[in-house]
Amino acid sequence: MLTFISSLPGPIAQGIIWGIMAMGVYITFRILDIADLTVDGTMGTGGVTLVVLVAGGMNVGLAMLIAFLAGCAAGLVTGLFHTKFGIPAILAGILTQLILYSVNLRITGQRSNVPLSVDRYNLILSLRNLGRAILVGAIFAAAIIAVMYWFFGTELGHSLRATGCNMNMARANGINTDTNKIIGLVLSNGLVALSGALLAQYQGFADINMGRGAIVIGLAAVIIGEVLLGKVFKNFALKLLAAVFGGIIYYIVITLVLQMGLNANDLKMLSALVVAVFLGIPYWQKKLRERKSNREVKADA
Amino acid sequence: MLKVTNVYKTFNKGTVNEKKALNGINLELKSGDFVTIIGGNGAGKSTLLNSICGVFPVDSGSIVIDGEDVTRLPEHKRAKYLGRVFQDPMMGTAADMWIEENMSLALRRGKARGLKWAITNKERTQYRVMLSQLGLGLENRLSSKVGLLSGGQRQALTLLMAVMQQPKLLLLDEHTAALDPKTAETVLNLSEKFINESKLTAMMITHNMRDAIHHGNRLIMMDNGRIIYDVSGEEKKNLTVDDLLKKFADLSGSALDNDRMLLSK
């Protein structure tokens, strides 16, 4: 138990970083109602872009900005595939993800792993200093929540929400739903890449595979946050915060099960099953309710 | 106000499911016209309204709204001219958004949406006044999710959202068909009230022949993608349901096949 508690700062820091990623997933999955698989590639794009630029001598802040923009570009590609090529959103995301695999390798110069030592470069966070890592992560998360709260309260933000909620209604009210989907995908992937850039600094390297399964972790964070905090957190800013908490809880649970002896290679299976079950719960609840009301109707008759 | 010229639309062309939905429609509406539309199943009533809205492109012909040719404009760009209420009460509002948020979306129809705050306090006061006209108590529920409202409340809200910007053309596609009779009457009376007060040009599809006769200044009957009967003024006022049924049989060469229409006779 003591080892578990003393090991908490690590998963908290990691959880916050993935929580930022989860807020990106929230934009597509919850606001636009699109499951965007681009993020598995974008996470790595953000990471390798940052590492290569910083190793090349660039200022970390600027490198993070460029990593963010690289993610935005990836989201733009998916958005164009989806709206201008008429490709279903999931497939559009998979295509971009595959493109990004090659792109990421180009960025790293065909290396699958690029190191970034905190001793040699002036990184804003690292796992060597967990207190600082948590603080930096929290500042970023708070700033992103503030910006998103503002954006989704604007006219444009409202029109994005309408697009995800009811496309017929949105169009009837003069909203260009295609453009809005693209904007949402761009912002979402920008955030995911930013999270990748933070993660690369935190772990001291970027890896071509660092985003594999990212969508599942992002979804897990969103869903865990909703299930555990949804009843209390009604406000939009708090819902985003719930996704960050979801990320933290996810990593704490992962740390716990690893300490209990779970094979690390089985982690992805576990994560995917957790997401499947949590996505299934509302569906089963609905089924049960329907069956119950059916029975009541029969009893009345 | 509206000029539809020679519009054709065929769905699933070249397949066994080919359906000629619009077969050379010509229709001209003067400003302030309130046209009711009746017709059998698959007569092309909804297709006509959807063509005007740009839900899909038409095969040929042209659609001009208030002097502007909109035939090639995408749906969201035509929206600034149009107010729409759909048959399905769920379709006209965003369920996960609040009443005031839905209204603010409608208030900005046809305007550029930027990074300004989506709802101002001044607007909120305006929304309350507008909502109180519905007489449903919604003015005190600005921050209720629309998904929590009943079908009738949602339809009344959709109607309000459709007219609040003074559209050049109000399109009502059987907008009371999914409501219980009493609510249907409320929504229909509200529609009439808004149309009269703002002197809107409007088209209303209905399956209720009495409503079609009772409301509006003009009535058109459609069959097989064509307008087969177009009547207005005194002649329309003096119509009876039996007249309409007979007219339909004479003009289309078959009995009316709209079940709901016959049931609501």
Side-chain angles (χ1 to χ4, degrees):
Chain A
M1 195 60 198
L2 211 60
T3 48
F4 171 63
I5 290 171
S6 66
S7 70
L8 273 183
I12 290 175
Q14 254 182 313
I16 294 175
I17 294 171
W18 281 93
I20 291 170
M21 188 269 175
M23 287 194 278
V25 170
Y26 191 93
I27 295 178
T28 46
F29 188 66
R30 278 294 177 237
I31 296 177
L32 285 181
D33 200 20
I34 288 174
D36 175 32
L37 300 188
T38 320
V39 296
D40 277 28
T42 323
M43 192 81 190
T45 306
V48 297
T49 304
L50 177 110
V51 170
V52 168
L53 288 177
V54 171
M58 187 181 277
N59 166 286
V60 173
L62 189 59
M64 286 182 67
L65 178 68
I66 293 175
F68 171 79
L69 294 175
C72 291
L76 178 67
V77 172
T78 302
L80 292 175
F81 279 168
H82 177 45
T83 59
K84 304 296 169 203
F85 288 50
I87 301 170
I90 289 189
L91 185 54
I94 292 174
L95 292 176
T96 313
Q97 186 195 116
L98 205 62
I99 292 173
L100 288 176
Y101 184 79
S102 301
V103 169
N104 293 350
L105 275 170
R106 286 246 168 216
I107 295 172
T108 60
Q110 310 300 327
R111 287 173 295 168
S112 65
N113 189 301
V114 277
L116 187 70
S117 165
V118 66
D119 300 326
R120 287 181 55 198
Y121 304 99
N122 201 7
L123 305 182
I124 62 169
L125 77 169
S126 160
L127 51 75
R128 296 261 199 88
N129 183 344
L130 287 173
R132 187 185 151 103
I134 291 173
L135 182 69
V136 170
I139 291 171
F140 266 87
I144 290 164
I145 289 174
V147 172
M148 278 176 70
Y149 183 78
W150 163 76
F151 177 74
F152 284 102
T154 64
E155 295 170 343
L156 183 63
H158 267 202
S159 77
L160 250 80
R161 291 174 55 203
T163 301
C165 186
N166 183 342
M167 230 158 6
N168 280 308
M169 178 269 190
R171 287 201 204 104
N173 284 292
I175 292 167
N176 188 339
T177 49
D178 281 358
T179 307
N180 275 359
K181 283 189 198 166
I182 294 175
I183 293 173
L185 285 163
V186 164
L187 287 178
S188 165
N189 281 284
L191 280 183
V192 173
L194 185 68
S195 163
L198 287 168
L199 184 63
Q201 294 179 67
Y202 174 81
Q203 62 191 18
F205 65 88
D207 188 294
I208 285 300
N209 289 318
M210 68 191 270
R212 179 167 291 174
I215 180 70
V216 176
I217 300 176
L219 286 177
V222 169
I223 294 163
I224 292 170
E226 282 174 354
V227 169
L228 297 181
L229 300 163
K231 287 260 182 321
V232 209
F233 285 11
K234 297 277 187 203
N235 179 287
F236 181 67
L238 292 176
K239 283 183 183 171
L240 293 175
L241 187 62
V244 179
F245 279 136
I248 295 171
I249 293 163
Y250 174 85
Y251 269 95
I252 290 176
V253 172
I254 294 296
T255 311
L256 191 64
V257 293
L258 284 178
Q259 281 180 4
M260 284 161 64
L262 182 90
N263 182 336
N265 289 330
D266 290 339
L267 259 186
K268 287 207 193 317
M269 178 171 73
L270 184 72
S271 313
L273 289 176
V274 165
V275 168
V277 168
F278 274 102
L279 285 176
I281 288 172
Y283 176 76
W284 297 325
Q285 280 174 336
K286 192 173 147 232
K287 284 262 164 197
L288 269 178
R289 265 198 308 272
E290 277 167 7
R291 199 173 298 170
K292 211 174 142 203
S293 62
N294 265 348
R295 227 178 277 145
E296 275 161 14
V297 170
K298 267 188 202 143
D300 285 347
Chain B
M1 189 53 75
L2 171 75
K3 195 169 182 204
V4 177
T5 316
N6 238 338
V7 164
Y8 285 83
K9 176 71 192 177
T10 304
F11 291 110
N12 305 312
K13 207 172 238 168
T15 71
V16 285
N17 293 321
E18 183 169 300
K19 166 84 190 148
K20 284 196 174 128
L22 296 180
N23 230 329
I25 293 274
N26 287 293
L27 178 66
E28 196 162 343
L29 261 62
K30 287 198 291 288
S31 181
D33 268 352
F34 178 6
V35 184
T36 55
I37 306 172
I38 57 171
N41 300 330
K45 309 181 296 288
S46 288
T47 310
L48 173 61
L49 255 52
N50 287 336
S51 306
I52 296 170
C53 299
V55 174
F56 40 71
V58 296
D59 299 339
S60 60
S62 78
I63 297 163
V64 176
I65 301 173
D66 199 24
E68 194 189 332
D69 187 342
V70 300
T71 318
R72 304 270 157 242
L73 278 188
E75 192 179 355
H76 67 270
K77 286 198 178 151
R78 299 185 198 191
K80 65 178 166 192
Y81 303 115
L82 305 170
R84 284 158 74 185
V85 186
F86 310 92
Q87 180 174 352
D88 179 358
M90 305 300 135
M91 217 159 139
T93 43
D96 290 341
M97 298 176 77
W98 295 350
I99 291 180
E100 61 174 25
E101 291 173 335
N102 272 274
M103 292 182 79
S104 79
L105 288 164
L107 191 70
R108 284 160 181 78
R109 184 168 60 228
K111 296 182 183 147
R113 290 166 210 265
L115 296 176
K116 277 195 300 245
W117 213 240
I119 307 171
T120 63
N121 276 327
K122 205 179 115 203
E123 283 170 25
R124 255 182 212 116
T125 322
Q126 224 181 315
Y127 296 158
R128 275 203 193 93
V129 175
M130 289 179 189
L131 285 166
S132 64
Q133 298 177 47
L134 300 179
L136 298 170
L138 297 182
E139 60 274 19
N140 303 317
R141 298 177 61 186
L142 282 186
S143 52
S144 282
K145 264 193 193 176
V146 167
L148 299 172
L149 305 184
S150 70
Q153 287 172 326
R154 280 182 81 162
Q155 207 63 327
L157 176 63
T158 310
L159 177 69
L160 182 60
M161 286 163 58
V163 298
M164 65 196 275
Q165 271 267 61
Q166 304 267 341
K168 304 247 185 235
L169 187 59
L170 176 66
L171 301 171
L172 309 169
D173 187 353
E174 295 210 45
H175 68 310
T176 60
L179 308 176
D180 65 79
K182 198 167 165 291
T183 319
E185 200 190 322
T186 310
V187 171
L188 192 56
N189 289 338
L190 281 169
S191 315
E192 173 103 37
K193 175 176 135 140
F194 288 133
I195 291 168
N196 289 338
E197 276 175 4
S198 310
K199 302 197 168 41
L200 298 173
T201 313
M203 295 171 84
M204 176 173 85
I205 300 177
T206 176
H207 64 265
N208 186 317
M209 283 187 271
R210 248 172 306 147
D211 285 345
I213 294 168
H214 189 68
H215 296 274
N217 64 335
R218 185 172 166 192
L219 180 151
I220 61 178
M221 187 187 278
M222 291 184 69
D223 183 53
N224 255 324
R226 283 197 188 88
I227 295 173
I228 55 169
Y229 183 49
D230 186 341
V231 57
S232 55
E234 283 301 310
E235 195 188 343
K236 170 184 178 280
K237 271 188 207 148
N238 297 328
L239 280 172
T240 64
V241 172
D242 286 328
D243 289 343
L244 278 182
L245 284 173
K246 190 167 171 301
K247 210 78 195 168
F248 188 88
D250 289 349
L251 290 165
S252 73
S254 63
L256 192 62
D257 63 349
N258 189 328
D259 317 334
R260 273 185 313 170
M261 193 179 258
L262 292 171
L263 285 171
S264 64
K265 181 180 140 190

